[in-house]
Amino acid sequence: MERGHAISFFYKALSRLENNIDARLTLCSLLLEEGKEDEAIGVLSPPKDLLKASRAKKSLQKKAVIREEKKVAALAAGMDWQSDNSEDETPSPQQPPLLEFLKNEEHYQLIIDLCRALASLRQYSDALGVIVLTLRLTNSTISDKQKEELQVLGAQIAYNTTDPKFGSRFKKHPKFLHHMRTQKVCVPPMIMLGHQFTILSQHQSAAREYLEAYKLQPENPLTNLCVGTTLINLALGHRLRNKHQCIAQGLAFLYNYLRICNDSQDAMYNIARAYHHVSLVTLAVSYYEKVLTTQEKDHPIPRLPHEENFSAFDNYHPGFCSLHREATYNLHLIYKKSGAVDLARQILNNIYFNYYVI
């Protein structure tokens, strides 16, 4: 009887355990369906195991934060990071490339020839990138004469590029402009400093510099154009309250620019672009159409001394100074956005036929 009682007690306990497990699994599945993974794990795991898992999780998170901080600090210091999975990760000094490369005159001349070849192919941004990287990595290994030659070549190439990122790459340039700006009252440093602020999207500071230049030369077309476009850009910011007044002031300067330039094609295009920028598309269309009815003569392109024999300047199609293509493309954008897709396609076909076929 004692043996039979023990067996009966064992089967009852086993049945309770099975029922308990089935209940836990059912509750766990319901929690997983609701997206409560942590509570589901708590149902299946004993409290002791949960405490150990929580401690291990916090330890791993702490190690991950420390590892990420070390990695960021190492990369910021210019050092190489060995591994993201190593326990004893220590940054190792990175050997600067081209350390001994340019000490050889032939290697240095190779860099010069490469930059000139890129400039002859009109890949000005790539050539400037090579020069900037070479000066940065080998600043202490090349002579002052070589540095000056690279800087002069970079200035010549930068004259031809329209990429604004190279205008503020060197930290000495803004300092030099600020020095010239404070030494004496002169319009060119004001304009250049305003351009620097414009590149950085600091339109309020740019407008201040342009207005100072306007006070000295109110009939200068460039100062009127710069003030007008900067006020338009400033009006589209989020912080300005009197946006309509700012737009009206910007357009006033642009119309003054139109008067000074005797209703030139360039001035009308800039007014059309300003209206287009502030979504006054009806007025923008009228001025784009005026641009298309105005003819502009081709003007000779200025050349630097090292570009006297550069034949690429002689291969321009007649009418390269005209803004007909730009005005047509912007008109096409307005028509396309308004739903007149056929009209947009027609105006593009017309400019293609007139420019490329005739």
Side-chain angles (χ1 to χ4, degrees), residues 169-219:
R169 181 174 292 273
F170 300 102
K171 295 181 179 179
K172 294 182 179 179
H173 292 179
K175 294 181 180 178
F176 173 75
L177 287 176
H178 182 72
H179 175 73
M180 293 296 296
R181 175 73 175 82
T182 55
Q183 285 297 317
K184 58 181 180 179
V185 179
C186 187
V187 171
M190 297 177 184
I191 297 293
M192 295 173 68
L193 192 58
H195 292 345
Q196 291 283 342
F197 286 127
T198 302
I199 292 173
L200 299 174
S201 297
Q202 299 179 5
H203 301 298
Q204 187 171 2
S205 299
R208 182 177 62 249
E209 295 297 329
Y210 291 144
L211 286 171
E212 290 295 328
Y214 171 79
K215 292 178 182 178
L216 297 175
Q217 296 182 1
E219 294 298 312

Side-chain angles (χ1 to χ4, degrees), residues 271-289:
I271 291 178
R273 189 66 189 88
Y275 280 128
H276 193 178
H277 199 44
V278 297
S279 300
L280 297 174
V281 292
T282 303
L283 295 172
V285 167
S286 64
Y287 275 92
Y288 282 138
E289 291 176 349

Side-chain angles (χ1 to χ4, degrees), residues 43-54:
V43 171
L44 294 177
S45 303
K48 293 183 179 180
D49 295 339
L50 286 177
L51 182 60
K52 292 180 181 179
S54 178

Side-chain angles (χ1 to χ4, degrees), residues 105-130:
E105 184 64 27
E106 294 181 357
H107 295 164
Y108 170 76
Q109 195 61 39
L110 176 64
I111 297 293
I112 297 294
D113 294 340
L114 172 62
C115 295
R116 288 176 177 170
L118 290 172
S120 65
L121 296 174
R122 302 176 67 183
Q123 298 181 10
Y124 304 121
S125 297
D126 295 334
L128 281 175
V130 173

